Amino acid sequence: MARIGLLTGGGDCPGLNAVIRAVVRKGINAYGHDFVGFRYGWAGVLAADAIELTHQSTSGILHRGGTILGTSRTNVFKEENGLERVRESLAQLSIDALVPIGGEDTLGVAGKLSDAGLNVVGVPKTIDNDLAGTDFTFGFQTAVQVATDAIDRLHTTAESHNRVIVVEVMGRHAGWIAAYAGLAGGADVVLVPERPFDVDEVCERLRRRHAQGRNFSIVVVAEGATPTDGSLHSEFEAKDSFGHVRLGGIAIELEREIEQRTGFEARMTILGHVQRGGTPCAYDRVLGSRFGVEAIDAVHEGDYGKMVALRGTEIVRVPLSEALAEPKLLDPKLFETAEVFFG
Ligand code: F6P
């Protein structure tokens, strides 16, 4: 019997609670392990701030968005004596193994802790779906559904007013959410970080469409998309403890440019954190549950230094280092499929 610590780090996403529930449920029922949950990601590990996780405290959370543990973007290795403090805290709470649930940053810390000899099994999460080593992360499908529902709604108002509506979605430096939601929502233009765009070309495309008798258009833009000439910006100056800039706002400039260059009335909507909040869709609950069950099996077998992952339809274990390779950018074929429906 082991005592295992869970934590959720980085941006929250729908499906985190499904993982927590699955790890604890199988860990108690099948193996008789003990669980604690660190509060607010690595910050909780550094501060030995943890709560007991039991069958009862993890019941009724499957459908709940966010994370019952709280989260933060804390980087252990940017903190003074971070590694020593983690070791002390784990010793103080008699923790044998850690199950961090997070994206590239949280799992990056997990990888370094694993290299330092700690027992770690990671679980990948992010709405951005940009983590190498896994075909999908949970949270992504929910974000895509939220964005698609929004595009559906924006379609009807765009049509009523003869407007171009620019919808900005999240995704950081990957265009997965934009391409999926754009395809599902029938967008007329989709702009992704992987393909810098020319504003004149976007306008020309809209003009052509309107010349063919359509009087409204939907442009989906990923927050990390950039124009080829670097004229529009979506970066804030501040960086987080992992060195990431905050993105957002490209739609504001794009709305203005489109209106000025084409004469079509334009409006923009930034979906922002709506994409991360609320109930996880069924797919994300199932994927989170499958990841959680595999993670506790790996811990039970002492198969550390791994991340659980989806490959095709199978749940597998891959070395944490694989997950920490380059981010997984949008599949060009998917973009080309979305492109078929542009204009
Ligand atoms: O990585 C998930 C994500 O939602 C990105 O799509 C977005 O750029 C970022 O997190 C926003 O972070 P924050 O919640 O810190 O504003």
Side-chain angles (χ1 to χ4, degrees), residues 52-307:
E52 293 292 322
L53 290 177
T54 62
H55 201 298
Q56 205 177 359
S57 67
T58 56
S59 275
I61 62 170
L62 177 61
H63 62 286
R64 278 173 57 187
T67 159
I68 59 164
L69 296 176
T71 184
S72 70
R73 296 193 191 277
T74 307
N75 185 348
V76 167
F77 293 93
K78 282 279 166 65
E79 301 288 323
E80 212 176 320
N81 301 323
L83 178 56
E84 290 70 34
R85 283 165 60 198
V86 168
R87 284 193 200 280
E88 280 164 21
S89 148
L90 299 187
Q92 183 189 327
L93 296 167
S94 307
I95 304 293
D96 303 300
L98 280 175
V99 178
I101 310 164
E104 63 163 314
D105 299 331
T106 304
L107 296 183
V109 171
K112 286 187 187 163
L113 294 177
S114 169
D115 292 344
L118 271 59
N119 298 333
V120 180
V121 172
V123 178
K125 73 87 225 184
T126 167
I127 64 162
D128 304 335
N129 197 40
D130 62 348
L131 229 109
T134 184
D135 289 350
F136 282 109
T137 44
F138 61 86
F140 170 67
Q141 299 290 354
T142 303
V144 167
Q145 192 59 55
V146 170
T148 303
D149 290 345
I151 294 169
D152 286 350
R153 288 175 184 278
L154 291 167
H155 249 119
T156 60
T157 173
E159 203 167 357
S160 305
H161 285 267
N162 295 354
R163 282 174 174 161
V164 174
I165 295 217
V166 181
V167 194
E168 181 178 308
V169 298
M170 281 185 165
R172 226 190 260 285
H173 299 293
W176 290 101
I177 299 177
Y180 264 75
L183 191 49
D188 305 300
V189 177
V190 176
L191 305 173
V192 295
E194 290 84 349
R195 302 204 176 198
F197 61 90
D198 179 338
V199 184
D200 275 333
E201 250 175 50
V202 171
C203 291
E204 189 44 39
R205 198 175 288 218
L206 295 174
R207 275 192 214 97
R208 267 205 311 272
R209 176 178 150 82
H210 288 226
Q212 284 162 6
R214 313 309 299 267
N215 56 9
F216 73 96
S217 294
I218 300 285
V219 176
V220 173
V221 60
E223 62 179 359
T226 48
T228 36
D229 62 5
S231 56
L232 312 181
H233 300 282
S234 72
E235 285 189 3
F236 290 68
E237 271 174 23
K239 289 189 177 167
D240 67 18
S241 67
F242 291 92
H244 299 300
V245 288
R246 186 175 153 201
L247 297 171
I250 186 103
I252 300 171
E253 299 191 35
L254 204 53
E255 172 204 282
R256 190 192 54 227
E257 290 300 316
I258 289 173
E259 192 163 283
Q260 277 174 5
R261 295 186 199 201
T262 63
F264 301 142
E265 196 177 19
R267 292 287 187 273
M268 64 84 204
T269 297
I270 299 175
L271 296 182
H273 293 80
V274 168
Q275 295 158 98
R276 279 215 330 239
T279 307
C281 67
Y283 182 93
D284 287 335
R285 296 183 203 190
V286 172
L287 185 58
S289 301
R290 294 179 76 197
F291 277 171
V293 164
E294 187 68 18
I296 190 58
D297 286 349
V299 170
H300 186 71
E301 292 163 25
D303 191 11
Y304 298 121
K306 297 284 170 60
M307 178 188 88

